[in-house]
Amino acid sequence: MAISVDTFFLNPHFQGTLQSQIQQIIAEAILSGRFRQGEKLPSTRKLATHLGISRITVTLAYTELLANDYLTSRGRSGYFVSENAPEPPSFNALRQAEDVVDWSRAIGSRFTGGNAMSKPLNWSKYRYNFIYGQSDPAIFDHANWRLCALQALGQKDFFALTSDYYEHDDERLVEFILRHSLTRRGILARPENVLITLGAQNALWLTAQVLLTQRRTAVIEDPCYPALRDILSQSRCHVVPLPVDQDGLPPETIPPHSDVIFTTPSHQCPTTATMPMGRREALLERARDIDALIVEDDYEFEMSFLKSPSPSLKSLDEDGRVIYVGSFSKSVFPGLRLGYLVGSESFIREARALRSLILRHPPGHTMRTAAYFLGLGHYDALIRRTRNEFSARRDVMQTAIANHGLHIASHETHGGSSFWMQAPRGTDTEALAAKLMEKNVLIEPGRPFFHGRTRPREFYRLAYSSINTNRIPEGIELIAQALKEG
């Protein structure tokens, strides 16, 4: 790698000759780690021209550094940082500037200390990885995604790639969502009803910011998606957690003063319960009676491989009170960070304006690549392949769970990609998870999903989205052994 001449600047206040200043610039850059062993320095002619000084001055400086083994010469190839040059000190050895700011007073709003889920960065290295929502490279369509990304880089899509969309979205992506994604959920909408977001979590944040204030009340499921509670706490609204049952959120428990109801009817997070048709209608009726809005996170509807997915709440909505949240981050891959909001035009207008203030718009290349991947049929093929694989893994896991006497806490019948589990009473699954990590097993403790100070500790989640089928039985056996050992 060549070092650019743009990294060289002369200091007019330097006490010494130009030659010694150049020597010092290069030596300090090597000692600080900016110039690394083997990197090529600019030629003496190019550096002299850049600095506006004599070439002989640069040559003499290089020669002195050569004698001190900071540089090495390779004939006509030029000068390089020597392999024997002093190595920079470790980061910890560098002097840190003293921080005298009282951050306990300076920070006006705190975002730490929430309920966000965490997982090891090297989760994929674990042999028995039961972490939820991660992609399996054996299933994903690498080749076609790469081709779509290259196509989106082409001259034909130059403006889609490089333009500032301001507050708008990629028309191709919106068209696919309108004509394919929403119609499959029984939802009819126009472009004015759709907003592209950076995943479902960003969609939930935008929704909370637009709809909720300190005087309004939000209803959430308990347990629920941990990040949703953190999002609502930042909005400073009143939060009412309602326990779910085997059919999801019970409408009759919703207080009459509720303003916004957050629910995951397709696959309740994290119990995987699917809300039956009768309860969906009852929920809409309850919201109508108390004049509340519903935010429907259509969680994992694509993974309904045991039965056909139930109609979305939005498709049953006759009043325009349901706001629909969809995402491609789980069905394609989590790092994609693409989702969407569907709602009344008045709501979408405000959400779009807020998004424009915060992040302008999602990256153009990402949106266009996704539009090609979806529109050319690769997405549907990926979903079919994923369903088939998940169905096989689910059968293997369910058999292994039964063989080892483990308890499934929920009994959904549509599919999904995980099991919501319950350990014997008194088990601390956070301690269990730490113990299992030593055996190359990853599970998700259930405590962060619950609301309140005394949260249940005996629940945990086992996902099969990224674990090879033949590893599942042995992994379940290790979990069972750890539970017996206490």
Side-chain angles (χ1 to χ4, degrees):
M1 179 178 177
I3 298 168
S4 172
V5 293
D6 294 333
T7 61
F8 290 82
F9 300 93
L10 291 178
N11 180 2
H13 305 294
F14 183 81
Q15 300 297 315
T17 65
L18 287 174
Q19 178 185 329
S20 61
Q21 184 175 173
I22 294 170
Q23 288 177 231
Q24 183 172 320
I25 290 171
I26 297 173
E28 287 181 348
I30 293 172
L31 291 172
S32 68
R34 289 194 298 116
F35 294 177
R36 300 183 180 182
Q37 294 178 356
E39 290 186 328
K40 183 179 181 181
L41 272 76
S43 68
T44 55
R45 184 187 301 278
K46 181 180 288 188
L47 184 55
T49 301
H50 171 71
L51 297 176
I53 61 177
S54 168
R55 183 182 179 187
I56 189 64
T57 301
V58 178
T59 302
L60 290 173
Y62 277 15
T63 302
E64 188 66 24
L65 290 165
L66 196 68
N68 292 328
D69 216 6
Y70 277 81
L71 302 182
T72 184
S73 176
R74 300 180 187 173
R76 294 186 178 183
S77 297
Y79 292 90
F80 297 79
V81 178
S82 172
E83 299 294 335
N84 298 319
E87 293 196 15
S90 66
F91 179 80
N92 292 331
L94 298 176
R95 182 179 177 274
Q96 298 292 305
E98 184 179 359
D99 193 340
V100 297
V101 176
D102 183 357
W103 289 105
S104 62
R105 296 183 59 190
I107 293 175
S109 298
R110 297 186 182 275
F111 300 93
T112 56
N115 304 286
M117 301 291 293
S118 62
K119 62 178 179 291
L121 289 177
N122 63 338
W123 59 266
S124 62
K125 303 299 182 183
Y126 284 75
R127 181 170 178 80
Y128 310 104
N129 168 36
F130 295 105
I131 295 296
Y132 174 81
Q134 304 306 317
S135 296
D136 188 340
I139 300 176
F140 183 66
D141 189 351
H142 299 265
N144 281 316
W145 181 266
R146 186 183 302 111
L147 289 174
C148 290
L150 288 173
Q151 187 173 354
L153 287 170
Q155 184 65 36
K156 187 178 72 171
D157 293 296
F158 176 78
F159 291 106
L161 170 69
T162 61
S163 293
D164 185 342
Y165 286 81
Y166 294 95
E167 61 180 23
H168 302 292
D169 297 313
D170 186 287
E171 293 180 354
R172 284 178 178 261
L173 182 56
V174 172
E175 182 183 4
F176 180 89
I177 291 170
L178 291 171
R179 297 182 60 184
H180 297 273
S181 299
L182 295 184
T183 55
R184 291 175 182 178
R185 305 300 292 130
I187 301 171
L188 297 178
R190 294 176 291 113
E192 295 80 11
N193 303 124
V194 178
L195 177 70
I196 305 299
T197 65
L198 294 182
Q201 186 164 320
N202 178 231
L204 292 170
W205 182 84
L206 289 169
T207 302
Q209 293 297 312
V210 171
L211 299 182
L212 294 166
T213 66
Q214 295 181 22
R215 295 184 178 182
R216 294 184 178 178
T217 298
V219 169
I220 61 172
E221 300 166 335
D222 191 25
C224 76
Y225 178 44
L228 175 60
R229 281 201 310 276
D230 292 340
I231 288 170
L232 296 180
S233 69
Q234 295 301 327
S235 74
R236 293 180 169 83
C237 67
H238 301 285
V239 178
V240 178
L242 298 179
V244 299
D245 59 21
Q246 295 293 332
D247 292 329
L249 180 66
E252 65 276 8
T253 64
I254 298 173
H257 60 276
S258 304
D259 295 295
V260 184
I261 302 162
F262 290 85
T263 183
T264 52
S266 289
H267 284 86
Q268 201 280 327
C269 177
T271 68
T272 73
T274 299
M275 187 179 290
M277 187 66 174
R279 180 167 287 192
R280 291 174 189 243
E281 293 172 341
L283 177 58
L284 287 167
E285 184 176 352
R286 179 60 176 165
R288 186 180 304 115
D289 290 343
I290 64 176
D291 195 24
L293 299 173
I294 297 174
V295 179
E296 176 186 16
D297 186 353
D298 205 12
Y299 179 69
E300 276 200 341
F301 87 86
E302 304 97 333
M303 293 300 110
S304 296
F305 49 78
L306 299 178
K307 288 184 180 179
S308 298
S310 300
S312 67
L313 287 173
K314 183 66 176 172
S315 70
L316 305 172
D317 175 28
E318 298 178 353
D319 304 332
R321 68 178 64 254
V322 176
I323 295 166
Y324 182 90
V325 176
S327 176
F328 298 114
S329 296
K330 289 289 188 291
S331 52
V332 182
F333 55 86
L336 180 61
R337 309 313 312 149
L338 273 186
Y340 51 95
L341 276 169
V342 182
S344 296
E345 187 174 345
S346 297
F347 164 75
I348 292 296
R349 184 186 305 116
E350 297 302 321
R352 186 181 301 280
L354 176 59
R355 188 198 69 177
S356 180
L357 287 174
I358 301 300
L359 55 87
R360 200 77 159 188
H361 59 79
H365 182 249
T366 301
M367 288 193 289
R368 182 53 57 94
T369 300
Y372 280 134
F373 191 78
L374 300 168
L376 293 172
H378 305 313
Y379 176 72
D380 289 337
L382 174 63
I383 292 299
R384 287 194 298 271
R385 187 162 58 252
T386 303
R387 283 176 180 166
N388 292 336
E389 182 61 31
F390 280 12
S391 179
R393 292 180 186 181
R394 178 186 172 83
D395 289 343
V396 172
M397 185 176 286
Q398 194 163 18
T399 299
I401 287 171
N403 289 342
H404 291 283
L406 302 184
H407 178 62
I408 300 174
S410 183
H411 301 285
E412 59 84 23
T413 57
H414 284 70
S417 63
S418 64
F419 287 96
W420 183 240
M421 308 293 294
Q422 185 172 10
R425 181 170 296 181
T427 303
D428 184 344
T429 55
E430 290 179 336
L432 175 67
K435 182 179 180 180
L436 284 168
M437 285 181 70
E438 299 175 358
K439 299 182 178 181
N440 222 4
V441 181
L442 287 182
I443 66 169
E444 287 184 292
R447 184 171 176 268
F449 293 96
F450 288 92
H451 188 86
R453 294 182 178 179
T454 56
R455 305 176 188 180
R457 292 180 174 271
E458 66 268 22
F459 291 93
Y460 60 106
R461 182 164 65 173
L462 297 179
Y464 43 85
S465 57
S466 55
I467 183 171
N468 190 286
T469 306
N470 58 23
R471 295 181 181 177
I472 291 174
E474 190 173 352
I476 297 297
E477 182 179 2
L478 289 170
I479 295 171
Q481 289 175 356
L483 283 168
K484 289 179 181 178
E485 293 168 1

mmCIF file of all heavy atoms in Angstrom, residues 414-437:
data_model
loop_
_atom_site.group_PDB
_atom_site.id
_atom_site.type_symbol
_atom_site.label_atom_id
_atom_site.label_comp_id
_atom_site.label_asym_id
_atom_site.label_seq_id
_atom_site.Cartn_x
_atom_site.Cartn_y
_atom_site.Cartn_z
ATOM 1 N N HIS A 414 -48.438 -22.786 13.694
ATOM 2 C CA HIS A 414 -48.233 -22.270 12.345
ATOM 3 C C HIS A 414 -46.805 -22.417 11.825
ATOM 4 O O HIS A 414 -46.596 -22.410 10.623
ATOM 5 C CB HIS A 414 -48.655 -20.800 12.276
ATOM 6 C CG HIS A 414 -50.136 -20.613 12.242
ATOM 7 N ND1 HIS A 414 -50.941 -20.871 13.331
ATOM 8 C CD2 HIS A 414 -50.971 -20.202 11.241
ATOM 9 C CE1 HIS A 414 -52.209 -20.620 13.010
ATOM 10 N NE2 HIS A 414 -52.251 -20.221 11.755
ATOM 11 N N GLY A 415 -45.831 -22.524 12.723
ATOM 12 C CA GLY A 415 -44.458 -22.664 12.254
ATOM 13 C C GLY A 415 -43.509 -21.775 13.012
ATOM 14 O O GLY A 415 -43.340 -21.895 14.211
ATOM 15 N N GLY A 416 -42.868 -20.852 12.287
ATOM 16 C CA GLY A 416 -41.916 -19.951 12.925
ATOM 17 C C GLY A 416 -40.500 -20.479 12.849
ATOM 18 O O GLY A 416 -40.157 -21.312 12.001
ATOM 19 N N SER A 417 -39.652 -20.012 13.756
ATOM 20 C CA SER A 417 -38.249 -20.435 13.742
ATOM 21 C C SER A 417 -37.696 -20.663 15.142
ATOM 22 O O SER A 417 -36.485 -20.704 15.320
ATOM 23 C CB SER A 417 -37.392 -19.371 13.024
ATOM 24 O OG SER A 417 -37.439 -18.144 13.724
ATOM 25 N N SER A 418 -38.587 -20.820 16.133
ATOM 26 C CA SER A 418 -38.091 -20.996 17.503
ATOM 27 C C SER A 418 -39.131 -21.675 18.380
ATOM 28 O O SER A 418 -40.319 -21.759 18.025
ATOM 29 C CB SER A 418 -37.714 -19.630 18.112
ATOM 30 O OG SER A 418 -38.864 -18.812 18.233
ATOM 31 N N PHE A 419 -38.668 -22.134 19.535
ATOM 32 C CA PHE A 419 -39.533 -22.665 20.585
ATOM 33 C C PHE A 419 -39.363 -21.805 21.829
ATOM 34 O O PHE A 419 -38.244 -21.419 22.186
ATOM 35 C CB PHE A 419 -39.159 -24.113 20.932
ATOM 36 C CG PHE A 419 -39.559 -25.133 19.896
ATOM 37 C CD1 PHE A 419 -38.656 -25.563 18.939
ATOM 38 C CD2 PHE A 419 -40.849 -25.671 19.876
ATOM 39 C CE1 PHE A 419 -39.008 -26.510 17.992
ATOM 40 C CE2 PHE A 419 -41.212 -26.603 18.934
ATOM 41 C CZ PHE A 419 -40.286 -27.031 17.986
ATOM 42 N N TRP A 420 -40.477 -21.514 22.489
ATOM 43 C CA TRP A 420 -40.458 -20.808 23.771
ATOM 44 C C TRP A 420 -40.520 -21.874 24.861
ATOM 45 O O TRP A 420 -41.474 -22.630 24.960
ATOM 46 C CB TRP A 420 -41.648 -19.856 23.856
ATOM 47 C CG TRP A 420 -41.729 -19.017 25.090
ATOM 48 C CD1 TRP A 420 -42.747 -19.004 25.995
ATOM 49 C CD2 TRP A 420 -40.792 -18.030 25.538
ATOM 50 N NE1 TRP A 420 -42.518 -18.078 26.974
ATOM 51 C CE2 TRP A 420 -41.324 -17.466 26.727
ATOM 52 C CE3 TRP A 420 -39.564 -17.577 25.059
ATOM 53 C CZ2 TRP A 420 -40.660 -16.464 27.436
ATOM 54 C CZ3 TRP A 420 -38.899 -16.590 25.767
ATOM 55 C CH2 TRP A 420 -39.434 -16.038 26.933
ATOM 56 N N MET A 421 -39.466 -21.951 25.664
ATOM 57 C CA MET A 421 -39.261 -23.051 26.587
ATOM 58 C C MET A 421 -39.404 -22.590 28.044
ATOM 59 O O MET A 421 -39.209 -21.416 28.357
ATOM 60 C CB MET A 421 -37.871 -23.652 26.382
ATOM 61 C CG MET A 421 -37.542 -24.041 24.958
ATOM 62 S SD MET A 421 -38.539 -25.424 24.372
ATOM 63 C CE MET A 421 -37.940 -26.731 25.456
ATOM 64 N N GLN A 422 -39.726 -23.554 28.920
ATOM 65 C CA GLN A 422 -39.801 -23.271 30.354
ATOM 66 C C GLN A 422 -39.020 -24.338 31.111
ATOM 67 O O GLN A 422 -39.308 -25.531 31.014
ATOM 68 C CB GLN A 422 -41.251 -23.235 30.839
ATOM 69 C CG GLN A 422 -41.387 -22.828 32.296
ATOM 70 C CD GLN A 422 -42.838 -22.616 32.698
ATOM 71 O OE1 GLN A 422 -43.756 -22.959 31.942
ATOM 72 N NE2 GLN A 422 -43.067 -22.060 33.875
ATOM 73 N N ALA A 423 -38.028 -23.887 31.863
ATOM 74 C CA ALA A 423 -37.226 -24.787 32.690
ATOM 75 C C ALA A 423 -37.950 -25.041 34.010
ATOM 76 O O ALA A 423 -38.914 -24.343 34.339
ATOM 77 C CB ALA A 423 -35.859 -24.163 32.946
ATOM 78 N N PRO A 424 -37.513 -26.022 34.781
ATOM 79 C CA PRO A 424 -38.129 -26.275 36.092
ATOM 80 C C PRO A 424 -38.118 -25.028 36.968
ATOM 81 O O PRO A 424 -37.221 -24.190 36.871
ATOM 82 C CB PRO A 424 -37.255 -27.380 36.680
ATOM 83 C CG PRO A 424 -36.696 -28.085 35.488
ATOM 84 C CD PRO A 424 -36.479 -27.016 34.460
ATOM 85 N N ARG A 425 -39.136 -24.907 37.813
ATOM 86 C CA ARG A 425 -39.247 -23.732 38.679
ATOM 87 C C ARG A 425 -37.990 -23.574 39.524
ATOM 88 O O ARG A 425 -37.435 -24.547 40.034
ATOM 89 C CB ARG A 425 -40.465 -23.885 39.589
ATOM 90 C CG ARG A 425 -40.693 -22.697 40.525
ATOM 91 C CD ARG A 425 -42.026 -22.792 41.224
ATOM 92 N NE ARG A 425 -43.124 -22.721 40.260
ATOM 93 C CZ ARG A 425 -44.429 -22.761 40.610
ATOM 94 N NH1 ARG A 425 -44.755 -22.895 41.891
ATOM 95 N NH2 ARG A 425 -45.370 -22.686 39.694
ATOM 96 N N GLY A 426 -37.547 -22.333 39.651
ATOM 97 C CA GLY A 426 -36.340 -22.045 40.420
ATOM 98 C C GLY A 426 -35.084 -21.980 39.573
ATOM 99 O O GLY A 426 -34.033 -21.566 40.061
ATOM 100 N N THR A 427 -35.194 -22.356 38.292
ATOM 101 C CA THR A 427 -34.026 -22.307 37.400
ATOM 102 C C THR A 427 -33.751 -20.875 36.968
ATOM 103 O O THR A 427 -34.663 -20.135 36.593
ATOM 104 C CB THR A 427 -34.262 -23.178 36.156
ATOM 105 O OG1 THR A 427 -34.545 -24.524 36.546
ATOM 106 C CG2 THR A 427 -33.028 -23.176 35.254
ATOM 107 N N ASP A 428 -32.510 -20.480 37.021
ATOM 108 C CA ASP A 428 -32.090 -19.181 36.503
ATOM 109 C C ASP A 428 -31.478 -19.424 35.130
ATOM 110 O O ASP A 428 -30.346 -19.897 35.015
ATOM 111 C CB ASP A 428 -31.069 -18.529 37.440
ATOM 112 C CG ASP A 428 -30.661 -17.130 36.992
ATOM 113 O OD1 ASP A 428 -30.925 -16.785 35.823
ATOM 114 O OD2 ASP A 428 -30.063 -16.397 37.798
ATOM 115 N N THR A 429 -32.233 -19.116 34.086
ATOM 116 C CA THR A 429 -31.747 -19.445 32.732
ATOM 117 C C THR A 429 -30.606 -18.532 32.288
ATOM 118 O O THR A 429 -29.897 -18.869 31.336
ATOM 119 C CB THR A 429 -32.891 -19.376 31.706
ATOM 120 O OG1 THR A 429 -33.524 -18.100 31.764
ATOM 121 C CG2 THR A 429 -33.917 -20.466 31.980
ATOM 122 N N GLU A 430 -30.410 -17.393 32.952
ATOM 123 C CA GLU A 430 -29.240 -16.576 32.633
ATOM 124 C C GLU A 430 -27.973 -17.288 33.106
ATOM 125 O O GLU A 430 -26.961 -17.309 32.406
ATOM 126 C CB GLU A 430 -29.373 -15.196 33.267
ATOM 127 C CG GLU A 430 -30.465 -14.363 32.607
ATOM 128 C CD GLU A 430 -30.631 -13.000 33.235
ATOM 129 O OE1 GLU A 430 -30.264 -12.835 34.422
ATOM 130 O OE2 GLU A 430 -31.135 -12.090 32.549
ATOM 131 N N ALA A 431 -28.037 -17.896 34.307
ATOM 132 C CA ALA A 431 -26.911 -18.694 34.792
ATOM 133 C C ALA A 431 -26.750 -19.944 33.927
ATOM 134 O O ALA A 431 -25.622 -20.379 33.634
ATOM 135 C CB ALA A 431 -27.128 -19.079 36.253
ATOM 136 N N LEU A 432 -27.870 -20.522 33.506
ATOM 137 C CA LEU A 432 -27.834 -21.703 32.641
ATOM 138 C C LEU A 432 -27.150 -21.371 31.320
ATOM 139 O O LEU A 432 -26.321 -22.147 30.820
ATOM 140 C CB LEU A 432 -29.251 -22.201 32.390
ATOM 141 C CG LEU A 432 -29.406 -23.366 31.399
ATOM 142 C CD1 LEU A 432 -28.786 -24.636 31.962
ATOM 143 C CD2 LEU A 432 -30.885 -23.587 31.057
ATOM 144 N N ALA A 433 -27.492 -20.215 30.743
ATOM 145 C CA ALA A 433 -26.896 -19.804 29.470
ATOM 146 C C ALA A 433 -25.391 -19.643 29.594
ATOM 147 O O ALA A 433 -24.629 -20.044 28.701
ATOM 148 C CB ALA A 433 -27.536 -18.500 28.989
ATOM 149 N N ALA A 434 -24.933 -19.044 30.699
ATOM 150 C CA ALA A 434 -23.494 -18.871 30.915
ATOM 151 C C ALA A 434 -22.797 -20.220 31.038
ATOM 152 O O ALA A 434 -21.696 -20.420 30.510
ATOM 153 C CB ALA A 434 -23.263 -18.037 32.165
ATOM 154 N N LYS A 435 -23.441 -21.160 31.702
ATOM 155 C CA LYS A 435 -22.877 -22.510 31.871
ATOM 156 C C LYS A 435 -22.804 -23.240 30.530
ATOM 157 O O LYS A 435 -21.810 -23.920 30.230
ATOM 158 C CB LYS A 435 -23.745 -23.285 32.861
ATOM 159 C CG LYS A 435 -23.262 -24.693 33.165
ATOM 160 C CD LYS A 435 -24.181 -25.357 34.178
ATOM 161 C CE LYS A 435 -23.731 -26.780 34.506
ATOM 162 N NZ LYS A 435 -24.633 -27.418 35.491
ATOM 163 N N LEU A 436 -23.833 -23.071 29.711
ATOM 164 C CA LEU A 436 -23.876 -23.775 28.434
ATOM 165 C C LEU A 436 -22.868 -23.214 27.436
ATOM 166 O O LEU A 436 -22.391 -23.943 26.565
ATOM 167 C CB LEU A 436 -25.292 -23.696 27.847
ATOM 168 C CG LEU A 436 -26.327 -24.610 28.497
ATOM 169 C CD1 LEU A 436 -27.734 -24.247 28.048
ATOM 170 C CD2 LEU A 436 -26.029 -26.078 28.168
ATOM 171 N N MET A 437 -22.547 -21.934 27.559
ATOM 172 C CA MET A 437 -21.550 -21.353 26.659
ATOM 173 C C MET A 437 -20.224 -22.091 26.774
ATOM 174 O O MET A 437 -19.496 -22.224 25.793
ATOM 175 C CB MET A 437 -21.364 -19.867 26.963
ATOM 176 C CG MET A 437 -22.500 -18.986 26.481
ATOM 177 S SD MET A 437 -22.238 -17.227 26.834
ATOM 178 C CE MET A 437 -20.898 -16.855 25.698
#
